[in-house]
Amino acid sequence: MRVLYDNQIFDSQIYGGISKYFCETIRKLLDLHNLYHFEIGILNSKNAYLIDMGLFKPNLLSRLLNNHYVKRVLDKLGMTAKWLNQKYTLYLVKYGGFDLVHPTYYHFDPLLYKQTPYILTVHDMIHELYPEYFEEDTVILENKKKSIEGASHIISVSHATKNDLVKVLGIDESKISVIHHSFDFPEYRSQKKWLNLPEDFFLFVGKRRNYKNFNFFLESSADLFKKTPLVVVGSPFTGEEDEIIQKNGIGDYVFQVSADDAELASLYSKAYYFVFPSLAEGFGIPILEAYHSNCPVIVSDISVFREVADEAALYFDPKSKESIFSVMNEAITNPSLRKNLVVKGMERLEFFKNQDYIGMMQKAYKKTVDN
């Protein structure tokens, strides 16, 4: 089977979950080299995963496109790297003789891709569920809807997202295959010594905007952070976040840090609990990252987290300050809970490690072509 992956996500991410998802998938399919031939619609890319996994190797053309003077001329002509990659992708769609196209995001014209059957991965339906948080993204929403409706088949990363596709867009269930994320977690070794961090701490990882529910979580648990501080991995605090921190007198108990993958693995291993208070997610990779580092988790009681964590988590109502405080306090005052959850987390991680990810992906690809 000849499979084409387009340029979209590799033009927009150097690092990022979606580009990592596609690179991991392609790498696993390479093990079936006698069954698959793949190509990625890029002439040049700075995506770290593509380069690190050897899926894109700088060549004479890419070095020429990166030449300072050549780049200036092309930019003046409107021929940016993204533009060139888009043109190359469309050329491959039309003339490459591929059996299947797997677009990497939603910014494309389904009519142009329809010359070849295409399968689309839907990572979440958060924009559709919480449109009030994404009023500036109406074009993205419309593109996504057209892309989903035009797909020959759809991969959903969770049953929760599949249910949202059916409920919100009316997609036929038979058109959707649920294939959970399946990443191989390298054994990171960080040399960094976190000298200013407390011995026991709660850990929050990632973006903190709107549906991530960080500010509400921060206010709900403020008094508890004086007993067990909070370490936040991500961007510096915003003015609004700083105001909440100062208002609640927890400036000495809440720490913001930046971390690479190795340092993040170290923080997971040192954390008392990892906390994930989102109102909605498509899957929840950080939960599996925490399990991999023997870190117990406290998460929102939402369907997708129940699907991922099952019994290997403490759950709170993300919209209730009383529920958040109560569960966080229970985690502090009942140490035996932690030991039990570490064991359950390791068992739950094995479930995802043992799933036949590539077998399910093969079936979804075949179903798309056969349709």
Side-chain angles (χ1 to χ4, degrees), residues 19-72:
S19 61
K20 186 176 182 180
Y21 162 86
F22 277 102
C23 287
E24 290 280 0
T25 299
I26 295 167
R27 184 179 62 78
K28 286 181 168 73
L29 285 170
L30 279 175
D31 293 337
L32 305 172
H33 57 86
N34 58 323
L35 297 176
Y36 290 90
H37 167 82
F38 81 92
E39 191 156 347
I40 304 170
I42 52 173
L43 296 171
N44 196 18
S45 180
K46 295 182 179 178
N47 182 269
Y49 306 116
L50 279 179
I51 295 168
D52 291 347
M53 294 183 194
L55 300 175
F56 175 77
K57 297 177 181 178
N59 52 37
L60 181 61
L61 177 59
S62 64
R63 284 193 287 271
L64 179 64
L65 292 173
N66 281 326
N67 178 276
H68 175 69
Y69 298 104
V70 173
K71 192 172 182 301
R72 279 181 61 187

Side-chain angles (χ1 to χ4, degrees), residues 124-165:
D124 65 64
M125 294 288 286
I126 294 170
H127 284 69
E128 291 80 2
L129 294 172
Y130 291 92
E132 65 272 23
Y133 294 142
F134 304 99
E135 291 179 359
E136 73 283 7
D137 293 342
T138 53
V139 174
I140 293 176
L141 279 171
E142 189 57 34
N143 285 346
K144 183 177 176 183
K145 183 174 184 289
K146 289 179 181 177
S147 303
I148 290 171
E149 290 175 344
S152 299
H153 199 68
I154 295 166
I155 294 170
S156 169
V157 299
S158 66
H159 289 283
T161 296
K162 175 183 176 179
N163 292 339
D164 292 336
L165 280 164

Side-chain angles (χ1 to χ4, degrees), residues 8 16 24 28 44 81 99 135 208 219 228 231 234 249 359-360:
Q8 295 180 81
E24 290 280 0
K28 286 181 168 73
N44 196 18
D99 301 300
E135 291 179 359
R208 305 189 296 273
E219 290 182 321
T228 303
V231 172
M360 290 187 286

Side-chain angles (χ1 to χ4, degrees), residues 171-182:
I171 304 300
D172 187 340
E173 286 192 44
S174 65
K175 192 179 175 180
I176 307 170
S177 294
V178 175
I179 306 178
H180 291 128
H181 284 289
S182 177

Side-chain angles (χ1 to χ4, degrees), residues 236-297:
F237 291 128
T238 65
E240 184 180 359
E241 290 166 346
D242 271 327
E243 188 176 325
I244 294 171
I245 290 168
Q246 297 310 316
K247 183 182 72 175
N248 287 278
I250 52 176
D252 293 332
Y253 306 97
V254 179
F255 305 83
Q256 179 272 325
V257 300
S258 298
D260 60 23
D261 286 344
E263 292 162 352
L264 179 57
S266 171
L267 287 168
Y268 276 125
S269 68
K270 296 176 187 301
Y272 191 62
Y273 275 89
F274 163 66
V275 188
F276 208 167
S278 295
L279 297 174
E281 293 288 343
F283 185 77
I285 287 295
I287 295 173
L288 303 188
E289 291 176 341
Y291 291 160
H292 185 66
S293 295
N294 293 331
C295 178
V297 303

